[in-house]
Amino acid sequence: MLLRETITVPPLTGDRERRVYFYLPDGYYESDERYPVLYMFDGHNLFLDGDATFGKSWGLMDYLDRTGTKIIVAAPECNHEGDMRLSEYSPVSFDFHGRHIVGRGKKYMDWLTGVFKPMVDGRFKTLADREHTFIGGSSMGGLMTLYALAKYNEFFSKGAALSPSLWVQNGQMPSFISSGRYVRGTALFTDYGTREFKNHSPQLKLFGETFSFLATKGITVTARVVEGGTHCEAAWEREIPYFMRAFGF
């Protein structure tokens, strides 16, 4: 079951509403069972082709329904105004095609963990502890997933960072990763397509360096380099079974 509602993010956009999506597993209302929660970025691209930016979603609801996966997904859409998606989904400031993007990722994650997560836990039958709370996203959402595991690790035990935008810090591994505080037992799934590596020259080097580093910090890293993989929702849809398996489903 998919609930499609609206929400505000006051620290970033005041009382301006944006869509938010809640996926509830089959039988949710007929059972007293409590469920793990996966928080995701770019909620508009996950479930419905009609809401997706480029007309193609991940098909996440279809997958979860078909497999009977017992999980709740909570996913606000991004800020579509100008460069604000880049801004909200980056913890660091960076230059992009001649424009300076101010990173507001910390404000977003403070809201998600301090306001949104308590609201979700209060409204739905969640398993609210860290062990059963996950986070995931693609591209800039993949970068934010890495940021969440580095700086908000007390909330999230597992993450899925698909095609993460590691290039934002001048071709260097983002400093928040090297300075992160990681709880042993944290699990991360990540991937990148071979055709994507051509989009940003340092990306292949960063991919290897970043996830080798995280492995030394005790994180269980599952990393896939996908032959012929591209930077789009159709490619990320094909990765759903892999990261769900990494999450233990």
Side-chain angles (χ1 to χ4, degrees):
M1 174 183 294
L2 186 67
L3 307 180
R4 184 176 180 269
E5 303 177 2
T6 59
I7 199 169
T8 60
V9 186
L12 291 164
T13 47
D15 60 1
R16 195 178 313 157
E17 293 184 337
R18 65 180 75 184
R19 291 170 295 186
V20 62
Y21 301 79
F22 300 107
Y23 172 84
L24 305 177
D26 187 45
Y28 174 87
Y29 288 110
E30 292 74 45
S31 170
D32 292 330
E33 186 176 357
R34 305 189 77 84
Y35 302 90
V37 183
L38 169 59
Y39 292 88
M40 296 195 73
F41 301 93
D42 292 312
H44 57 291
N45 285 334
L46 300 177
F47 302 105
L48 304 172
D49 290 352
D51 286 353
T53 301
F54 300 107
K56 173 69 182 79
S57 74
W58 292 33
L60 183 56
M61 178 171 60
D62 294 340
Y63 173 87
L64 296 175
D65 283 347
R66 184 173 68 252
T67 57
T69 303
K70 299 296 186 180
I71 194 170
I72 292 171
V73 181
E77 71 176 328
C78 74
N79 186 337
H80 298 281
E81 182 179 352
D83 288 326
M84 292 308 296
R85 176 181 179 274
L86 297 174
S87 178
E88 289 188 5
Y89 284 1
S90 179
V92 300
S93 298
F94 63 99
D95 293 322
F96 181 73
H97 293 173
R99 306 187 302 277
H100 186 66
I101 309 298
V102 176
R104 295 182 172 88
K106 183 180 187 303
K107 285 188 176 181
Y108 187 91
M109 285 305 304
D110 285 348
W111 168 81
L112 189 146
T113 56
V115 178
F116 187 58
K117 182 181 185 302
M119 182 274 286
V120 171
D121 290 333
R123 176 179 171 184
F124 298 106
K125 295 181 294 185
T126 69
L127 292 167
D129 60 300
R130 177 185 179 275
E131 182 181 355
H132 296 96
T133 304
F134 317 141
I135 192 162
S138 62
S139 191
M140 295 300 292
L143 180 73
M144 285 290 281
T145 296
L146 297 177
Y147 178 58
L149 291 184
K151 297 298 185 180
Y152 298 81
N153 198 263
E154 68 267 32
F155 296 100
F156 306 103
S157 63
K158 299 179 176 68
L162 281 64
S163 306
S165 298
L166 292 166
W167 47 265
V168 295
Q169 204 161 308
N170 300 317
Q172 303 297 316
M173 184 174 70
S175 57
F176 65 79
I177 292 176
S178 57
S179 64
R181 296 181 178 180
Y182 302 99
V183 178
R184 286 195 173 271
T186 299
L188 170 68
F189 173 89
T190 189
D191 78 333
Y192 223 82
T194 56
R195 292 172 63 184
E196 292 183 86
F197 285 128
K198 301 173 184 178
N199 295 339
H200 299 279
S201 56
Q203 189 73 29
L204 178 57
K205 174 175 174 285
L206 286 172
F207 189 84
E209 288 179 350
T210 298
F211 300 111
S212 295
F213 171 82
L214 289 175
T216 70
K217 294 299 180 180
I219 293 181
T220 301
V221 178
T222 302
R224 274 173 47 85
V225 175
V226 183
E227 178 63 35
T230 57
H231 200 82
C232 66
E233 278 66 33
W236 299 321
E237 179 179 11
R238 290 190 286 272
E239 295 303 294
I240 295 173
Y242 295 100
F243 74 74
M244 283 295 173
R245 194 172 304 137
F247 284 178
F249 294 100

